[in-house]
């Protein structure tokens, strides 16, 4: 218990220090000049040299069927707003410690199964003190080191997309965070060249729904709602 108290006190002190910096320089100055810029909202709309940019031409559905696995270049994390004396500062945490599999049915158009696992303890922002608070107190990663998403309803496209074409759809499944599961529907962007696929999306969450208490130190607090975000690369096989 003594060790746990030290961790929580240290994490709280770190958030207190962040708030103190903001109070000294002013909330808007802290947001614009001291806080690290938030990561971009996940999207597959990248330059033409993106892994799954592809060439023009319709994909053959038969070539899409089978197992796909999350590959290097994938990342997941969260987006939250910290409120410092009434000024919002958007904070993003990211990790590349993501694994998962996707199963596309024999028609090449239906995602029958999907399971994605994120190592929550490795999610990092621009502040080690903030990370320690979220890791040790808010998300309790000692007890629940992973967050998962498991597809619960098949997702079927109307037709085979063009190689490199961005397709927008939605996926319903079970999101498990801090040991609590909720059914969510995620808006997803995806594209593929037949060998590599990219997927990006986010899902709004209310922390209390997962038993997570957003920190509040008076002059600096975290909004009760946020987003779980992902940008994945998947390869066949």
């Amino acid at each position: 218990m003594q060790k746990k108290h030290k961790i929580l006190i240290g994490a709280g002190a770190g958030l207190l220090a962040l708030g103190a910096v903001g109070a000294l320089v002013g909330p808007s100055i802290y947001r614009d000049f001291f806080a690290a810029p938030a990561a971009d909202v996940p999207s597959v709309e990248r330059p033409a040299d993106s892994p799954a940019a592809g060439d023009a031409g319709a994909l053959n559905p038969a070539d899409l069927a089978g197992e796909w696995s999350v590959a290097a270049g994938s990342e997941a994390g969260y987006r939250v707003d910290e409120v410092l004396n009434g000024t919002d500062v958007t904070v993003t945490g990211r990790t590349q410690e993501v694994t998962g599999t996707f199963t596309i049915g024999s028609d090449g158009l239906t995602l029958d199964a999907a399971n994605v696992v994120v190592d929550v303890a490795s999610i990092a922002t621009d502040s080690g003190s903030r990370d320690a608070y979220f890791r040790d107190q808010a998300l309790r990663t000692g007890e629940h080191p992973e967050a998962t998403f498991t597809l619960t309803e098949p997702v079927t496209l109307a037709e085979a997309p063009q190689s490199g074409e961005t397709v927008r759809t939605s996926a319903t499944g079970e999101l498990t965070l801090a040991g609590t599961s909720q059914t969510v529907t995620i808006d997803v962007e995806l594209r593929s060249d037949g060998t590599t696929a990219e997927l990006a999306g986010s899902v709004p969450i209310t922390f209390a729904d997962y038993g997570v208490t957003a920190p509040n130190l008076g002059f600096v607090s975290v909004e009760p709602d946020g987003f779980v975000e992902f940008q994945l690369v998947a390869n066949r096989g």
Side-chain angles (χ1 to χ4, degrees), residues 45-175:
E45 295 294 345
R46 295 176 174 175
D49 61 355
S50 181
D55 299 316
L59 295 170
N60 183 347
D63 293 337
L64 301 177
E67 296 292 325
W68 295 68
S69 298
V70 173
S74 300
E75 65 177 20
Y78 64 80
R79 180 180 303 267
V80 298
D81 280 337
E82 291 181 344
V83 183
L84 178 63
N85 289 338
T87 298
D88 285 346
V89 180
T90 299
V91 173
T92 50
R94 294 288 186 265
T95 180
Q96 294 188 347
E97 297 298 321
V98 186
T99 58
T101 57
F102 305 92
T103 303
I104 297 180
S106 58
D107 64 357
L109 299 176
T110 302
L111 179 64
D112 288 328
N115 185 63
V116 178
V117 181
V118 180
D119 178 8
V120 181
S122 65
I123 294 176
T125 68
D126 61 321
S127 167
S129 298
R130 180 193 293 114
D131 298 342
Y133 186 94
F134 273 92
R135 187 171 57 240
D136 300 321
Q137 185 166 349
L139 298 177
R140 306 185 305 282
T141 59
E143 303 171 55
H144 312 290
E146 297 176 340
T148 63
F149 173 80
T150 301
L151 188 73
T152 56
E153 298 179 13
V155 178
T156 302
L157 300 181
E159 59 184 6
Q162 298 290 306
S163 177
E165 175 189 5
T166 298
V167 176
R168 293 173 175 82
T169 186
S170 59
T172 297
E174 187 175 80
L175 176 66

Side-chain angles (χ1 to χ4, degrees), residues 18-43:
L18 288 174
V21 171
L24 287 174
V25 301
S28 61
I29 295 176
Y30 173 76
R31 177 194 61 201
D32 296 337
F33 296 101
F34 285 83
D40 292 338
V41 174
S43 174

